[in-house]
């Protein structure tokens, strides 16, 4: 079966996912496109999906009888309306992060999916599909004993001028929030944020770097350094300290050179390159599940928990290091 997919939001990642579906992955085809900027959909049609129909609105695309499943890759604030429409239409839906820009919005999606009675939504937390994190999880689950601490870092060389302090959580650390919860199979109970002295590349609206400390229900303490103007490269680190040993996320593959009296390998600089292979794996997983009329991988509940946790972390940016509690409602049976 070929899953007929409609893409809503044909900007950077929508275009790239359309390319994956039509040129890299199997079992699906892009048959419909929609974007508030029609020229963007027309460009994707011309370059990648010549047979696709262009719809004026995302809602019309979702309602089309020719569309089996939906990709929501528009701006974050518009995700909720399209995911809700896809659930109402009973169509599998892959939604890029964030699932919704508020915890209340994510909860509305959870409620709608629970009322529908079957999983339809996959959230684009692609790190769960990264070969390095998958290997790390296997090691944590089977070799190093129960986790006690996690030391993680998310470093970007630079960020755009409009990037402000809360975005370090909502846009950057959101990936650690999801992947570390999955890695430990545990839930967060509190968040604290510490600010060292601001680095010279910070500005009035961006306190950089920051350290977020998350505590889990089992008492594991996680520290995440977020340093978005670190200058030297795009660098993701994760080390889990267990009862019996320590496991670290592998470095991305890089050629090592011995040259000019130096032993060296490159560090990536563009975030797009770091998890590039995992986007293929996550979308292939979506296609497989969509062919059966359902969804797998990161679910709406994960998107909701990520939103609640992000809100707590942002609140903790304003409490001078005091802990902010993270309280989760009971998890519906659909997501057990
Ligand atoms: N998982 C990841 O690593 C990852 C990476 C990049 C982007 N993203 C997420 O993907 C989403 C899109 O990011 P991007 O970098 O492609 O942004 P982008 O600005 O390049 O593209 C977004 C597109 O959505 C369109 N759009 C805006 N409002 C719309 C609406 N109401 N209906 C239809 N189209 C609309 C815009 O015209 C634009 O073409 C964001 O939520 C972002 O957080 C996730």
């Amino acid at each position: 079966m070929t899953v007929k997919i409609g893409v809503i939001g044909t900007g950077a990642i929508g275009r790239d996912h359309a390319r994956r579906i039509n040129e890299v992955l199997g079992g699906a085809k892009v048959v419909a496109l929609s974007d508030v900027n029609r020229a963007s959909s027309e460009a994707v049609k011309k370059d990648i999906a010549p047979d696709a129909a262009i719809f004026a609105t995302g809602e019309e695309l979702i309602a089309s009888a020719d569309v089996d499943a939906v990709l929501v890759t528009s701006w974050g604030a518009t995700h909720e309306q399209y995911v809700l429409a896809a659930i109402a239409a009973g169509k599998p839906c892959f939604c890029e992060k964030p699932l919704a820009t508020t915890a209340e919005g994510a909860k509305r999606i959870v409620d709608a999916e629970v009322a529908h009675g079957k999983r339809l939504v996959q959230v684009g937390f692609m790190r769960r599909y990264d070969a390095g994190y998958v290997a790390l999880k296997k090691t944590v689950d089977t070799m190093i004993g129960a986790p006690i601490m996690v030391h993680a870092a998310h470093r970007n060389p630079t960020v755009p001028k409009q990037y402000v302090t809360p975005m370090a959580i909502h846009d950057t650390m959101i990936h650690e929030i999801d992947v570390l919860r999955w890695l430990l199979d545990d839930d967060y109970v509190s968040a604290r944020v510490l600010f060292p002295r601001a680095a010279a590349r910070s500005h009035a609206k961006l306190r950089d770097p920051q350290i977020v400390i998350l505590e889990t229900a089992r008492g594991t303490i996680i520290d995440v350094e977020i340093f978005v103007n670190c200058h030297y490269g795009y660098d993701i680190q994760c080390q889990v300290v267990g009862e019996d040993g320590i496991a670290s996320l592998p470095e991305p593959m890089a050629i090592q050179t011995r040259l000019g009296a130096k032993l060296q390998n490159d560090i990536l600089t563009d975030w797009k390159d770091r998890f590039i292979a995992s986007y293929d794996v996550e979308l292939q997983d979506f296609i497989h599940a969509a062919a059966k009329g359902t969804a797998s991988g990161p679910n709406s509940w994960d998107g909701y928990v990520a939103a609640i946790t992000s809100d707590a972390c942002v609140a903790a940016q304003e409490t001078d290091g005091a802990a902010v509690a993270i309280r989760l409602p009971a998890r519906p049976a659909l997501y057990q």
Side-chain angles (χ1 to χ4, degrees):
M1 167 190 183
T2 299
V3 180
K4 292 179 282 174
I5 294 187
V7 181
I8 303 173
T10 49
I13 199 133
R15 181 188 178 92
D16 207 32
H17 284 338
R19 175 194 62 78
R20 283 191 173 87
I21 292 165
N22 275 14
E23 297 177 7
V24 181
L25 307 177
K29 182 178 177 188
V30 174
V31 300
L33 302 163
S34 181
D35 195 295
V36 282
N37 172 11
R38 192 182 167 95
S40 145
S41 290
E42 276 165 2
V44 172
K45 179 177 164 75
K46 179 170 164 282
D47 300 340
I48 297 168
D51 303 334
I54 296 182
F55 288 84
T57 68
E59 282 81 2
E60 286 167 69
L61 177 150
I62 292 166
S64 164
D66 206 32
V67 169
D68 300 324
V70 180
L71 245 61
V72 178
T73 46
S74 47
W75 291 328
T78 66
H79 292 179
E80 181 189 344
Q81 74 189 79
Y82 295 132
V83 176
L84 286 173
I87 294 171
K91 296 188 181 182
C93 173
F94 174 93
C95 178
E96 261 310 337
K97 58 89 189 161
L99 179 60
T101 43
T102 63
E104 297 74 32
K107 174 78 167 44
R108 282 190 283 274
I109 291 172
V110 164
D111 291 346
E113 200 180 31
V114 167
H116 178 75
K118 186 173 79 170
R119 273 201 60 190
L120 286 175
V121 179
Q122 176 178 339
V123 183
F125 287 131
M126 78 296 177
R127 283 199 198 177
R128 295 185 185 204
Y129 293 92
D130 171 66
Y133 274 108
V134 170
L136 178 61
K137 179 159 176 60
K138 194 171 171 205
T139 306
V140 169
D141 286 347
T142 59
M143 288 176 67
I144 62 163
I148 303 168
M149 293 177 284
V150 178
H151 309 297
H154 190 142
R155 304 193 188 107
N156 295 52
T158 180
V159 283
K161 262 204 204 86
Q162 63 273 21
Y163 187 107
V164 292
T165 307
M167 291 171 76
I169 308 296
H170 287 305
D171 289 70
T172 300
M173 195 189 138
I174 187 79
H175 286 294
E176 270 78 18
I177 287 174
D178 179 71
V179 84
L180 297 180
R181 183 174 152 266
W182 166 81
L183 185 67
L184 298 175
D185 194 18
D186 204 349
D187 270 319
Y188 305 124
V189 294
S190 74
R192 272 176 281 170
V193 178
L194 302 178
F195 289 99
R197 77 166 174 79
R201 292 185 184 85
S202 298
H203 54 78
K205 293 190 172 161
L206 174 60
R207 293 172 75 182
D208 184 51
Q210 51 193 291
I211 296 173
V212 180
I213 299 170
L214 293 166
E215 185 173 356
T216 74
R218 288 195 205 107
T220 303
I221 299 273
I222 301 166
D223 58 87
V224 185
E225 171 201 315
I226 310 160
F227 191 4
V228 297
N229 279 301
C230 79
H231 195 60
Y232 73 85
Y234 182 73
D235 194 7
I236 301 298
Q237 297 289 321
C238 182
Q239 183 184 68
V240 183
V241 180
E243 294 279 354
D244 304 321
I246 292 175
S248 298
L249 183 68
E251 296 288 342
M253 190 170 71
I255 296 297
Q256 196 176 65
T257 55
R258 288 170 152 79
L259 200 64
K262 286 190 172 65
L263 177 62
Q264 285 184 316
N265 43 255
D266 288 351
I267 295 176
L268 295 172
T269 53
D270 188 338
W271 63 266
K272 288 190 214 78
D273 299 328
R274 178 63 180 85
F275 294 105
I276 186 98
S278 65
Y279 295 111
D280 290 349
V281 189
E282 71 167 354
L283 272 189
Q284 190 66 72
D285 192 33
F286 174 71
I287 292 166
H288 281 143
K292 297 181 200 129
T294 184
S296 67
N299 58 38
S300 302
W301 180 255
D302 299 319
Y304 177 40
V305 172
I308 293 174
T309 307
S310 300
D311 288 352
C313 292
V314 170
Q317 289 178 329
E318 304 295 333
T319 60
D320 285 328
V324 172
I326 299 172
R327 292 194 184 86
L328 304 180
R331 190 194 299 224
L334 184 63
Y335 309 111
Q336 297 294 349

